[in-house]
Amino acid sequence: MPQVIDKVRRIIVIDDNEAIHEDFRKILSSNAESEQLNDDEAFLFGEVEKAESHENQTYELDSAMQGQDGLELVRQAVAEGRPYGVAFVDMRMPPGWDGVKTIEHLWQVDPELQVVICTAYSDYSWKETIDRLGLSDQLLILKKPFDVAEVAQLAAALTRKREMQRQLKGRVDQLEEAARHRYAPQERR
């Protein structure tokens, strides 16, 4: 039986600036923002068909002010079997861990977590970041100040990607179990 896709997609924002958390809430939790995006699209491109609009998307958004607090929320989510799809992580969060160290710890707990580094400036070059974290399709950068449409697009695409990965893993596990059962040595009588 195919899995039902959960329309609630979990996101965690890890940033030491409360205003950034509010920005994410406004962008990802508000139908008013979706209406503004639709109005902007209509103005720029004329009337457009609404396939899966932002209005149909629901996010469960959690916040942490420091990397250590974010790590605990990610641990808890994994333990509950409800992992986050995406973590938006600030690069500078004094006095605690920086973004790179936070991401290293997050991926130890949840190696499949999609991560977006949110930064206006960084203490690391891209090469240094890749040297520490590795080159991965699970890591993107979003420059501050960020654009509303970019945040909405990243949230939608990356949470959907995570859902599809989970579904694929579940299906592979089912197939492996069926193969083990089918081809297991039969007991002799």
Side-chain angles (χ1 to χ4, degrees), residues 155-171:
L158 294 176
T159 55
R160 180 72 175 138
K161 178 182 174 189
R162 178 69 189 257
E163 286 175 5
M164 297 303 292
Q165 287 173 328
R166 290 183 74 195
Q167 287 179 342
L168 180 60
K169 183 183 181 322
R171 185 65 178 138

Side-chain angles (χ1 to χ4, degrees), residues 2-189:
Q3 291 181 330
V4 176
I5 297 173
D6 186 3
K7 286 293 185 186
V8 176
R9 298 175 180 171
R10 301 191 77 207
I11 295 174
I12 184 168
V13 176
I14 305 171
D15 196 300
D16 63 328
N17 183 340
E18 184 61 41
I20 297 295
H21 294 271
E22 283 306 308
D23 289 344
F24 275 99
R25 283 194 198 329
K26 288 176 190 172
I27 294 167
L28 299 175
S29 300
S30 168
N31 281 343
E33 196 62 53
S34 297
E35 291 169 16
Q36 182 62 48
L37 286 172
N38 290 337
D39 291 346
D40 291 347
E41 287 174 0
F43 176 76
L44 292 172
F45 306 113
E47 284 302 313
V48 292
E49 268 188 53
K50 293 181 183 179
E52 184 178 320
S53 73
H54 302 286
E55 296 164 8
N56 296 333
Q57 186 60 63
T58 304
Y59 296 102
E60 183 179 321
L61 194 61
D62 289 329
S63 295
M65 299 298 284
Q66 292 290 307
Q68 296 91 327
D69 298 330
L71 177 62
E72 288 309 312
L73 289 173
V74 169
R75 271 194 186 121
Q76 182 180 351
V78 168
E80 293 171 355
R82 297 183 62 236
Y84 292 102
V86 180
F88 287 92
V89 181
D90 186 23
M91 192 55 96
R92 284 189 174 176
M93 295 180 282
W97 295 341
D98 64 21
V100 172
K101 185 168 186 159
T102 299
I103 295 164
E104 288 172 334
H105 286 279
L106 295 177
W107 279 346
Q108 288 173 0
V109 172
D110 186 355
E112 303 302 317
L113 182 64
Q114 304 295 307
V115 176
V116 179
I117 295 174
C118 303
T119 186
Y121 46 86
S122 177
D123 294 334
Y124 300 99
S125 69
W126 180 242
K127 182 178 179 342
E128 291 169 321
T129 301
I130 296 305
D131 287 346
R132 293 251 325 255
L133 298 174
L135 189 57
S136 171
D137 69 343
Q138 292 172 227
L139 181 66
L140 297 171
I141 292 181
L142 178 64
K143 295 285 188 176
K144 291 179 183 178
F146 40 75
D147 181 83
V148 170
E150 289 174 343
V151 171
Q153 182 183 29
L154 286 168
L158 294 176
T159 55
R160 180 72 175 138
K161 178 182 174 189
R162 178 69 189 257
E163 286 175 5
M164 297 303 292
Q165 287 173 328
R166 290 183 74 195
Q167 287 179 342
L168 180 60
K169 183 183 181 322
R171 185 65 178 138
V172 167
D173 290 348
Q174 287 175 344
L175 291 171
E176 287 174 349
E177 180 61 30
R180 273 193 299 275
H181 180 70
R182 181 175 181 144
Y183 297 109
Q186 299 294 325
E187 285 186 36
R188 294 189 182 213
R189 295 180 189 215

